[in-house]
Amino acid sequence: QALHAEIAGIKFDDIFLNASGVHCQTTAELDELLATKGTGAIITKSATSAYRAGNPSPRLSKIPLGSINSMGLPNEGLDYYLDYVTTKQADKPMLLSVAGVSYTENLDILHKVQDSSFMGITELNLSCPNVPGKPQTAYDFETTERLLTEVFAFFTKPLGVKMPPYFDIVHFDDMAKILNKFPLAHVNTINSIGNGLWINEDTDTVVIKPKGGFGGIGGALAKPTALANVRAFRQRLNPTIKMIGTGGVVNGRDVYEHILCGADLVSVGTQLQFEGPSMFARLEQELLAIMAEKGYTSVDDFRGQLKIIE
Ligand SMILES: CC(C)(C)CCc1c(C(=O)O)[nH]c(=O)[nH]c1=O
């Protein structure tokens, strides 16, 4: 199996999946991804306890070399996604993404998942908000440790975390030390680069309505940061914690680079948003061509083998 992986004893016959938030809010979108050639798995939009309409539009915009979004966590609510992942007959793993809008909601949601019949991988979105006046959970190191401690006191099913990008080596060190304390199935990095701003040059106006135009940046613009975060966490995390690389994937070379940095699975958001699900077959072909060119028959041949200049 050229493009295989395994997380928490769950086998993947392909390494690609959607980035949570893209093409995964409704069962129709999720069904389409399941049926798409090249996806090894799918993941739901981060679920909150109840349905959320999310922010007013325009809340997502294509920009040169990427995207900007402040969706505001629009989703159908936890029960909708729990029902989907527990009843849908699928031939590939389905991951459930969750995000409480408060510290305690994270615990409430994970108690429900623990008590449900879902046996797959849950991904906790740590870009979830924290108490007002404090940064997002993942940028509040003490809160992240406290939350994961409370979660693992009762949650016994496979759990991964979705991380925002970090930009300081000491933050890589400190967050990896925290994550290594827990029996995590995986770390998925990166989420969009927070609070970017894009201006329409014809109107001198921002391009999305929420937050005065501030929004998460994805796409090619995010690749250097994404590769650095995959590499930094791979170098620091226990090998038992697998890596999902996300950010900046446009073509097969970008996928290859995520794997060089240590990714076990690779998820795609912005490019999927604008190209559609046929993108996955393209990425797979492009990656396999690169591997053939280099004489690799499996992703195991080069995962994490990024070379530095001695
Ligand atoms: C940013 C939050 C709204 C707190 C979480 C949901 C989310 C969103 C979103 O729903 O706005 N957009 C992203 O690029 N990443 C995310 O994790």
Side-chain angles (χ1 to χ4, degrees), residues 65-304:
L65 297 176
S67 66
I68 185 168
N69 91 83
S70 258
M71 309 300 285
L73 255 180
N75 74 97
E76 307 300 320
L78 178 64
D79 292 346
Y80 178 96
Y81 300 106
L82 266 182
D83 179 61
Y84 184 81
V85 295
T86 54
T87 59
K88 181 73 189 176
Q89 293 305 310
D91 62 350
K92 53 192 78 169
M94 299 181 284
L95 284 73
L96 172 70
S97 175
V98 296
V101 290
S102 71
Y103 182 94
T104 47
E105 189 184 6
N106 284 310
L107 297 170
D108 296 344
I109 289 168
L110 288 168
H111 269 295
K112 281 193 186 158
V113 177
Q114 177 68 21
D115 296 343
S116 77
S117 61
F118 178 59
M119 300 309 287
I121 297 166
T122 301
E123 184 175 279
L124 174 60
N125 183 346
L126 286 178
S127 285
C128 52
N130 198 354
V131 296
K134 289 181 79 176
Q136 64 171 280
T137 301
Y139 287 161
D140 178 339
F141 288 55
E142 292 72 22
T143 299
T144 296
E145 181 161 4
R146 187 158 52 86
L147 175 59
L148 292 177
T149 301
E150 289 195 46
V151 166
F152 280 104
F154 68 85
F155 200 81
T156 62
K157 298 178 173 178
L159 183 76
V161 287
K162 179 73 173 283
M163 311 301 286
Y166 298 92
F167 303 89
D168 189 301
I169 300 300
V170 173
H171 287 165
F172 292 136
D173 294 338
D174 291 354
M175 184 47 73
K177 274 194 201 92
I178 292 169
L179 297 177
N180 276 331
K181 293 179 177 180
F182 304 101
L184 289 163
H186 74 269
V187 164
N188 185 340
T189 182
I190 63 172
N191 204 323
S192 52
I193 300 172
N195 294 305
L197 186 64
W198 190 264
I199 300 170
N200 178 314
E201 61 190 29
D202 302 324
T203 63
D204 289 354
T205 309
V206 301
V207 296
I208 55 173
K209 177 170 181 175
K211 296 175 63 177
F214 281 60
I217 302 298
L221 288 167
K223 190 173 87 170
T225 295
L227 293 178
N229 278 260
V230 173
R231 172 70 167 178
F233 279 108
R234 184 63 287 161
Q235 289 179 313
R236 289 165 175 79
L237 292 174
N238 297 335
T240 55
I241 302 177
K242 296 296 179 76
M243 296 291 298
I244 301 179
T246 306
V249 173
V250 174
N251 59 40
R253 174 73 203 180
D254 304 321
V255 179
Y256 177 78
E257 291 174 359
H258 266 275
I259 299 166
L260 272 186
C261 290
D264 293 283
L265 297 180
V266 176
S267 87
V268 187
T270 298
Q271 190 61 28
L272 171 60
Q273 179 73 48
F274 298 115
E275 183 172 342
S278 65
M279 171 203 70
F280 287 107
R282 174 177 66 80
L283 290 181
E284 188 174 63
Q285 283 317 311
E286 290 173 355
L287 175 62
L288 288 169
I290 292 168
M291 288 168 62
E293 190 181 291
K294 295 168 180 294
Y296 295 139
T297 57
S298 163
V299 287
D300 300 333
D301 298 342
F302 63 98
R303 183 185 304 107

